[in-house]
Amino acid sequence: MFGLAQIPMKSNSIRFAAELYTKIKLSSQSYTNGLPIRAYSEAVAENNDKISKAMKAYLDRAKEHDEFMSTQNVAFKLGKRHLANMMGADPETFSQADIDRSIQYLFPSGLYDAKAKPMMKPPELVIPQRKAAEFNQSGRPFHSMFYTGRPNYCKLLFQIVSNINELNDVEDQMRLKQASPDPTQKIDSAGYDWLSKDALEKILLENLCDTEYDNFIKAISRLNSHPYAYKKKSFLDKYCRPLLAKTHSDQIPKPLIDENGRSYITVYECLRKTARGDVTLLAPGKGTITINGHDITYFKDVQAREQVLFPLIFADMVEKVDVIANVAGGGFSSQSGAIRWGISMALRSFVDTETVDRMRIAGLLQRDYRRRERKKPGQAGARRKYTWKKR
């Protein structure tokens, strides 16, 4: 890779590389938080004549990265202190949970994607990690698969194949004993999926193409389909992620039957701002909507009507159920938001689990806890300032 492994090394250079390798154990570390870099820099500072050009370039990049992370950490701590002062809290005991709550309060967002919402987290959690040194001071790589270009990826495939071979040996031994796999320990893969390409790249710290990712999926799926895969469950759990929280049948209320033989569900405590209401859904229905004894024209604003109709349109239940809603307090916006949440929660009892998961992704099942921000002393409003006049 660097053309340095072929350079003959002197005996003292080999001894220095071995001692350095044992001291900081770079071969067992795939990631770095800056400490191995500093240890390596201090260790090789006394042996400048033995450092290869590749290692010098690596140390220069590592030094720049450490300085950048140090600057970001200082900025984060300063911002954390300012945020704590804004919220009237003690900066010394201001935790990450307090930061998240403060950001949600100061910057309310209706965006459903968590990546699109404003956040404030330590730089170590936001900035991608860097690989540690993969070669010693003479340019000799630590990893046996270094020259493949993606050593961590190749090592992962090697581990998967090794596990499959071990399970094959176990299967052969069990067949000789005329024994079969334990059906009670079979891995249930429902509700789980393999890591995405981006997530796998973050773990391996290597860029993968689509073909390499497909090869990983095929290999890990083959291991997971083995009859004795439960013996390698700890390894498989590292590379799978749960899908959306599974909606259990006991969490969704079963519809009741009224005197006319129709199924119905009533959702109480439908909240939005200062509006409070309850929503009853009846099926089968003709699509009639009754709000405080009026039809949907109870709302004069078109946007409020769209808020009420959105969950029915989303679940394709517009002309299949009837809606009866009673709401009080607040304005048209808050009342329509409360009814929308009540309809969404009631629809869970009349649609399949896939539609429920789609509704959860769309944010229909999430309460909107936003409130009007209070006026601040010395200001004209929550954010508005008084006009400053010099004279």
Side-chain angles (χ1 to χ4, degrees), residues 368-380:
D368 193 346
Y369 290 101
R370 289 178 296 174
R371 295 292 185 270
R372 183 178 184 274
E373 188 175 352
R374 71 176 183 87
K375 178 186 177 300
K376 307 300 190 304
Q379 298 180 185

Side-chain angles (χ1 to χ4, degrees), residues 202-216:
K202 290 181 180 179
I203 293 177
L204 300 178
L205 293 181
E206 295 172 353
N207 295 327
L208 306 178
C209 63
D210 295 336
T211 303
E212 292 170 338
Y213 178 72
D214 292 340
N215 293 336
F216 161 75

Side-chain angles (χ1 to χ4, degrees), residues 106-340:
L106 294 174
F107 305 100
S109 174
L111 300 174
Y112 300 125
D113 190 356
K115 295 181 180 179
K117 295 182 179 180
M119 67 173 182
M120 182 178 176
K121 294 185 178 180
E124 294 80 6
L125 303 179
V126 179
I127 300 174
Q129 293 176 316
R130 286 175 50 89
K131 275 188 177 181
E134 298 179 314
F135 43 86
N136 60 16
Q137 51 86 28
S138 63
R140 186 178 297 278
F142 294 133
H143 207 290
S144 60
M145 301 179 183
F146 176 79
Y147 291 105
T148 61
R150 294 176 176 83
N152 292 335
Y153 169 75
C154 295
K155 181 180 179 181
L156 174 59
L157 294 184
F158 178 79
Q159 291 175 346
I160 294 175
V161 174
S162 300
N163 289 329
I164 293 176
N165 293 334
E166 292 178 6
L167 294 181
N168 289 337
D169 294 340
V170 173
E171 186 178 14
D172 294 340
Q173 295 176 3
M174 298 301 290
R175 283 182 178 178
L176 292 176
K177 298 178 182 179
Q178 297 182 351
S180 58
D182 188 356
T184 60
Q185 297 187 18
K186 184 178 180 180
I187 298 178
D188 184 14
S189 58
Y192 291 87
D193 193 12
W194 302 118
L195 290 177
S196 62
K197 180 183 174 182
D198 295 337
L200 185 62
E201 288 178 344
K202 290 181 180 179
I203 293 177
L204 300 178
L205 293 181
E206 295 172 353
N207 295 327
L208 306 178
C209 63
D210 295 336
T211 303
E212 292 170 338
Y213 178 72
D214 292 340
N215 293 336
F216 161 75
I217 294 298
K218 293 177 182 178
I220 199 74
S221 300
R222 181 180 176 185
L223 175 61
N224 187 60
S225 62
H226 198 281
Y228 293 92
Y230 56 84
K231 293 182 177 294
K232 301 295 182 180
K233 188 175 184 302
S234 58
F235 176 80
L236 292 171
D237 290 342
K238 298 177 182 178
Y239 303 100
C240 66
R241 59 183 177 86
L243 297 173
L244 291 173
K246 298 173 62 177
T247 305
H248 301 285
S249 57
D250 57 346
Q251 294 179 348
I252 300 178
K254 295 182 178 180
L256 304 177
I257 307 299
D258 62 2
E259 61 276 6
N260 297 325
R262 293 201 301 174
S263 302
Y264 73 95
I265 284 290
T266 302
V267 179
Y268 299 96
E269 292 298 322
C270 302
L271 314 177
R272 175 69 179 99
K273 294 183 180 178
T274 58
R276 301 291 183 271
D278 58 83
V279 176
T280 302
L281 223 64
L282 299 97
K286 299 180 180 179
T288 59
I289 298 177
T290 305
I291 302 173
N292 291 345
H294 301 81
D295 57 6
I296 198 171
T297 57
Y298 170 81
F299 293 117
K300 308 301 180 183
D301 190 4
V302 176
Q303 184 178 4
R305 299 178 186 179
E306 293 176 348
Q307 289 289 316
V308 175
L309 291 174
F310 180 71
L312 297 173
I313 297 174
F314 189 87
D316 193 18
M317 299 286 287
V318 176
E319 297 181 353
K320 300 178 182 179
V321 295
D322 293 337
V323 179
I324 301 176
N326 299 306
V327 64
F332 288 149
S333 176
S334 59
Q335 289 186 359
S336 61
I339 295 175
R340 165 182 149 157

